[in-house]
Amino acid sequence: MKKVIAYLEKPIGMIGGSVRLLIAAVVFVAALVFCLGSLDGRTADAAIVDARASLESKAGAVLADVFSVDARSWSNDRETARSLVAPPLSTASGRALAGPPPGGATSVNWVPQNVAVTWADDRAGEALIVVNVTVTSRSGHAESRVKSVQAFYTRSGDQWLLSGLEELQ
């Protein structure tokens, strides 16, 4: 027992001290890298949460602005719609977004009922949206129906643009 105590009380040599200092430095650097990595991960998670919240708050309004039109303000409505669509939808629906009102209709009104974001990041996202679509004819007859759509969005700066749409019902 005296030998163990004597060994433990013996001063640390130059090599032993250097090795212990090197080990402590390696452990410190590893801990620092782990902590900084955790902060970056939390920042990325926060960005995704922000993107989802942003898309959820704007997805229904963008969809309504693109597809709602009135014969009295048709050209302004279509101009607004063209500013809110991105490829490939802008390419596929170019004529519809520039053309005249369909025969017999005076207005089409899309009113979002429920919006659920299925995924989003800082560049794009998708949402499932339940909308009430009302078409009013020139005679004043209004016909409504509920649609479920899957809408695809692209982010441009702080604005979400509709890039695709698939009707589910």
Side-chain angles (χ1 to χ4, degrees), residues 47-94:
I48 290 172
V49 168
D50 289 345
R52 288 180 64 94
S54 172
L55 181 57
E56 186 170 5
S57 70
K58 297 187 177 162
V62 169
L63 186 71
D65 287 345
V66 169
F67 291 106
S68 295
V69 294
D70 190 291
R72 296 171 296 217
S73 59
W74 195 271
S75 62
N76 288 338
D77 293 345
R78 295 299 81 208
E79 187 177 323
T80 299
R82 285 190 299 274
S83 73
L84 294 173
V85 294
L89 183 62
S90 62
T91 305
S93 62

Side-chain angles (χ1 to χ4, degrees), residues 7-8 10-28:
Y7 177 76
L8 292 175
K10 185 169 89 174
I12 297 175
M14 188 65 112
I15 294 175
S18 298
V19 169
R20 288 182 178 120
L21 185 60
L22 182 64
I23 290 171
V26 167
V27 170
F28 176 75

Side-chain angles (χ1 to χ4, degrees), residues 89-168:
L89 183 62
S90 62
T91 305
S93 62
R95 270 195 266 163
L97 293 174
T106 59
S107 70
V108 178
N109 193 22
W110 284 50
V111 179
Q113 304 296 308
N114 294 314
V115 176
V117 173
T118 55
W119 72 269
D121 60 23
D122 61 340
R123 295 183 320 250
E126 282 182 22
L128 296 173
I129 305 173
V130 177
V131 293
N132 186 25
V133 179
T134 303
V135 178
T136 305
S137 68
R138 290 193 178 142
S139 67
H141 174 72
E143 186 176 319
S144 295
R145 67 178 229 211
V146 175
K147 289 185 178 189
S148 295
V149 296
Q150 182 173 12
F152 306 93
Y153 294 88
T154 300
R155 195 169 198 170
S156 175
D158 64 345
Q159 185 178 23
W160 289 99
L161 304 175
L162 187 64
S163 61
L165 186 75
E166 184 177 325
E167 188 173 345
L168 301 176

